[in-house]
Amino acid sequence: MFAGAQVSLYPMTDGFIDTILSSLDALDPWRDRLRIETDDISTLMVGPPEVLFPALRDLYVAAARSGHHIVLRTTLSRGCPGEPDDPICRTDAMANPSEPLASRQKTALSALSGAAKTDQTADAQFSLYVLGAGDHMAEIRGCIDFLKQSGTFDRSKNFCTRLTGDAGPVFATLEQAFCQFGPPNGHVTIDLTVSANSPSKR
């Protein structure tokens, strides 16, 4: 399987370079389990979901603690048929192919109980895309039902779902949405925006 994210971090401050560079230190504990490639638009992070999502969480938290308004924009993908399998992505986190939807929802909810708290709020919105053949709407509806029970659900919006809460449970919820819904070996993507310290909330 191939799993990864294209990540861009946008600090709304004149000192955006220092904010970005200092936030990247949060990835240090994860670097030996991720393939990371950066260009002038985004950073590619390739690895298993159980590493990828905590790394994104830590990057977000480090940037948010600057106190500046920051936005993390990410496109996540797993199982893309145009990408070769990558050994670094080996994982046991994917849903069992024979497991029914209701069982996967319970598995996802159970996984949230161990989510570490960060004392940093995350306001996120995301869209889940289940690609290929099959009843993709059943999987999306199942995911939304899971989100409503996750403790991080804020509200449904046009074309996306909003999550709010401590960054630990929010990113853990996103990880379960990514892993438990859609075919385990199929192509699934998430379009994600996470914001901190927005002046619009004041």
Side-chain angles (χ1 to χ4, degrees):
M1 187 183 69
F2 188 93
Q6 289 284 0
V7 187
S8 298
L9 181 65
Y10 301 107
M12 315 301 174
T13 172
D14 290 343
F16 65 93
I17 294 174
D18 289 341
T19 301
I20 292 171
L21 293 178
S22 62
S23 299
L24 289 174
D25 291 341
L27 295 179
D28 288 349
W30 307 105
R31 288 185 186 275
D32 62 339
R33 299 179 63 195
L34 291 169
R35 175 159 59 86
I36 301 176
E37 301 171 7
T38 298
D39 62 23
D40 58 330
I41 296 178
S42 63
T43 294
L44 173 67
M45 298 167 57
V46 176
E50 62 269 26
V51 176
L52 192 59
F53 282 89
L56 290 171
R57 174 202 64 205
D58 291 353
L59 177 64
Y60 165 81
V61 167
R65 285 182 176 155
S66 70
H68 301 302
H69 179 201
I70 66 102
V71 172
L72 181 76
R73 279 285 300 131
T74 308
T75 300
L76 295 122
S77 176
R78 66 170 172 88
C80 178
E83 299 288 352
D85 288 347
D86 192 323
I88 201 172
C89 298
R90 286 189 186 137
T91 180
D92 294 324
M94 291 298 116
N96 185 318
S98 62
E99 199 173 5
L101 183 58
S103 179
R104 287 184 276 127
Q105 289 171 319
K106 289 180 181 177
T107 298
L109 286 169
S110 177
L112 299 183
S113 62
K117 296 290 182 72
T118 66
D119 297 320
Q120 176 62 56
T121 299
D123 295 307
Q125 66 180 32
F126 82 105
S127 302
L128 175 74
Y129 299 101
V130 178
L131 306 174
D135 189 356
H136 67 281
M137 283 309 301
E139 293 293 321
I140 291 170
R141 281 192 294 268
C143 181
I144 291 170
D145 288 344
F146 152 69
L147 296 173
K148 288 180 176 178
Q149 301 175 69
S150 69
T152 63
F153 178 81
D154 184 15
R155 63 185 183 272
S156 296
K157 298 175 64 177
N158 289 98
F159 319 124
C160 62
T161 299
R162 177 161 175 155
L163 306 179
T164 299
D166 185 278
V170 166
F171 278 87
T173 299
L174 291 164
E175 179 181 347
Q176 292 306 308
F178 187 67
C179 293
Q180 296 296 332
F181 300 95
N185 297 314
H187 189 192
V188 173
T189 68
I190 281 180
D191 182 63
L192 170 66
T193 303
V194 194
S195 174
N197 310 315
S198 171
S200 300
K201 294 188 71 176
R202 295 182 193 139

